[in-house]
Amino acid sequence: MRTSRIRIAAVAGATTALALGFTAYANSATDSGAQTHQSTGTVAHAAPYTSAGSVQQAAGQVVANEGHAPSATGQQVAVASAKKTVTVAKKKPATRATSVRQCSGDEISYDVLHRFPKQLGEHLLVTAMNADSKPCWVTASPSVMLGDTVNVLPHSKKDAPGGTARITLKPGAKVYSAVNLFADGKKKRTSTELSLALRDQGGDTGPAVELNAFTSKGAVSKFTWSSADVTNWNTAKPYDF
């Protein structure tokens, strides 16, 4: 009978201890849950961190942890959440414009006007127009042969210097040159035609075209010369008076 009471007491003691242990565990779990809930509410949206001695980035600054787990304040979390990354688009390098080519002559429309026939200052006004859809350039003076002669006319000594510069002709643009006619010599020639070719900056010529001189009324005009010379291309008409 004594043995049974001891066993009952032991069982009762064990039951009590078990109940106390369960109560303590429940209280501990409750406190832990409260702490966990409080901790979660404090560091919500904060950047994750590692163990002691790790580095945490908050509000754009790097903070070294010395043996303690980092914590983020509400201000740090707000700054970190509001921070945005701005991407700046790089400008593409400007491309170079295509260089203007030299006029070959095929794209040029010519017109030759005989001015002041048999008068002082008689000349052939040569007009060259770019009839193409793209710009091109001319330079110096045209290479000109009058009638059936094979001698290229010299450049006029009275012409303004600087004829080696390029003159760019946009579509529809015009340039002018003048063939000065002098009929004061003994040997004279007469013709209605001339041959003309463009020069490059080195003085070489391209293919020539055969042209007729015309009066202001559009009729083919005869011209006479014993000597002649030619002026450089110019954007203004020579002897425009």
Side-chain angles (χ1 to χ4, degrees):
M1 192 67 181
R2 190 178 296 174
T3 301
S4 299
R5 291 182 63 183
I6 292 174
R7 289 179 178 178
I8 291 171
V11 171
T15 302
T16 303
L18 181 60
L20 291 174
F22 178 79
T23 302
Y25 175 79
N27 292 335
S28 176
T30 302
D31 294 338
S32 177
Q35 293 176 357
T36 301
H37 177 72
Q38 181 181 2
S39 175
T40 303
T42 303
V43 299
H45 305 294
Y49 57 86
T50 57
S51 59
S54 64
V55 178
Q56 176 191 17
Q57 184 174 358
Q61 297 179 348
V62 177
V63 181
N65 302 307
E66 299 180 353
H68 300 283
S71 61
T73 64
Q75 181 180 4
Q76 289 175 325
V77 172
V79 173
S81 300
K83 189 177 180 181
K84 295 181 180 180
T85 302
V86 179
T87 303
V88 179
K90 294 183 178 180
K91 293 183 178 180
K92 295 183 179 180
T95 55
R96 290 184 176 182
T98 305
S99 59
V100 179
R101 59 184 176 81
Q102 180 183 358
C103 298
S104 65
D106 294 338
E107 67 281 82
I108 300 298
S109 174
Y110 296 99
D111 180 66
V112 180
L113 175 64
H114 187 190
R115 299 190 71 202
F116 311 124
K118 300 178 181 181
Q119 299 179 39
L120 184 65
E122 181 180 5
H123 66 277
L124 304 177
L125 175 64
V126 180
T127 303
M129 184 186 75
N130 182 5
D132 198 9
S133 60
K134 297 180 181 179
C136 62
W137 58 265
V138 296
T139 189
S141 61
S143 176
V144 177
M145 293 184 291
L146 298 178
D148 57 357
T149 63
V150 293
N151 298 323
V152 177
L153 297 182
H155 177 243
S156 174
K157 295 180 180 179
K158 295 182 180 181
D159 195 13
T164 57
R166 295 181 180 182
I167 301 177
T168 300
L169 291 177
K170 295 181 179 180
K174 298 178 180 180
V175 287
Y176 308 92
S177 176
V179 176
N180 300 311
L181 302 171
F182 306 100
D184 52 0
K186 293 182 179 180
K187 189 176 181 179
K188 297 180 181 179
R189 294 176 178 271
T190 301
S191 181
T192 61
E193 299 178 348
L194 66 152
S195 175
L196 184 147
L198 298 177
R199 301 178 191 267
D200 61 18
Q201 288 185 303
D204 296 328
T205 60
V209 293
E210 301 293 329
L211 302 170
N212 279 310
F214 294 89
T215 66
S216 58
K217 295 181 179 180
V220 175
S221 180
K222 284 186 178 182
F223 55 90
T224 301
W225 78 101
S226 57
S227 64
D229 57 30
V230 61
T231 65
N232 289 320
W233 291 115
N234 200 308
T235 55
K237 291 181 181 180
Y239 317 121
D240 191 20
F241 47 77

